[in-house]
Amino acid sequence: MKTTPLLLFIPLLMTSGALAAGQNDFNVQTASSRMVKHEDGSRSYFEKTGDGKGMKKTTYNIRNVLVSVTLYKRGPFGELRSCLIFDGQKNELFFVRYGYDGNANLREEQMFDSRTKELVRRFLYTYDAMGNRSKPVCITLVKSTKDIETHAVPTAPEKDPFADDFKKKNK
């Protein structure tokens, strides 16, 4: 099949526009994918899984090297329930589970080492009177390692790129 130069140019334009976005702006939006560029120049791609019960986040550094892959599972109302974190070589590093309160607010992330099954880190959240989630309190429970420090940030996205899809579905 012959590809015309115009067909190659359009995705390039879409990508260049997306890379100019702010940290929390999702771009290259299709029904099943989103992309965000972070302040440090790295970028993450979010994709829905085929069955709609999960999400995949693929993160690349500024040199376009794969840094991590995170596979999320959702609960019956679209909430993130757990995830698996893999490094750039696709070695499984961590299993994370999420805990919610009665108002469906994320209250805790528990990160377990996939090899030892040991709880290594917790992120705890509070909410203000307006319902805004706080920055997490991080508790590291084991001696720090390179893998733990590389994944020293919460795994739950500040904004779920597909949350609106579930709000519409559950109304």
Side-chain angles (χ1 to χ4, degrees):
M1 181 171 104
K2 190 174 182 181
T3 306
T4 64
L6 182 58
L7 291 176
L8 295 172
F9 185 69
I10 290 171
L12 181 61
L13 277 177
M14 289 173 62
T15 303
S16 65
L19 293 177
Q23 178 183 7
N24 294 316
D25 296 333
F26 291 104
N27 292 293
V28 187
Q29 296 189 21
T30 68
S32 62
S33 66
R34 307 284 189 272
M35 191 276 286
V36 63
K37 183 175 180 190
H38 305 284
E39 288 178 359
D40 66 359
S42 64
R43 63 197 184 291
S44 296
Y45 296 91
F46 294 86
E47 302 170 71
K48 285 184 187 179
T49 57
D51 62 4
K53 295 180 182 177
M55 178 172 65
K56 176 182 177 181
K57 178 176 84 171
T58 310
T59 302
Y60 295 88
N61 67 17
I62 60 173
R63 291 179 295 286
N64 204 31
V65 174
L66 179 64
V67 174
S68 66
V69 175
T70 305
L71 302 175
Y72 295 92
K73 288 187 179 178
R74 294 186 182 279
F77 302 105
E79 76 282 9
L80 298 176
R81 299 304 295 174
S82 64
C83 73
L84 292 173
I85 301 172
F86 300 84
D87 65 15
Q89 288 75 45
K90 300 187 180 168
N91 299 305
E92 184 179 330
L93 301 176
F94 302 104
F95 166 76
V96 178
R97 67 180 174 202
Y98 303 105
Y100 296 85
D101 65 16
N103 296 318
N105 292 319
L106 177 64
R107 289 297 183 166
E108 182 173 1
E109 294 181 39
Q110 296 177 338
M111 179 182 281
F112 296 85
D113 184 304
S114 289
R115 293 172 295 262
T116 66
K117 310 298 185 218
E118 185 176 16
L119 179 62
V120 295
R121 179 167 279 152
R122 295 173 63 201
F123 293 99
L124 306 172
Y125 298 93
T126 59
Y127 290 80
D128 65 18
M130 301 297 289
N132 299 308
R133 186 168 80 189
S134 67
K135 295 226 182 267
V137 172
C138 176
I139 302 168
T140 301
L141 302 165
V142 297
K143 184 178 176 184
S144 290
T145 66
K146 178 182 173 246
D147 287 340
I148 291 173
E149 292 315 309
T150 300
H151 295 86
V153 295
T155 60
E158 264 186 62
K159 180 176 190 265
D160 182 341
F162 302 107
D164 291 341
D165 297 352
F166 293 98
K167 288 178 187 169
K168 292 174 195 168
K169 181 179 166 183
N170 291 314
K171 279 191 175 182

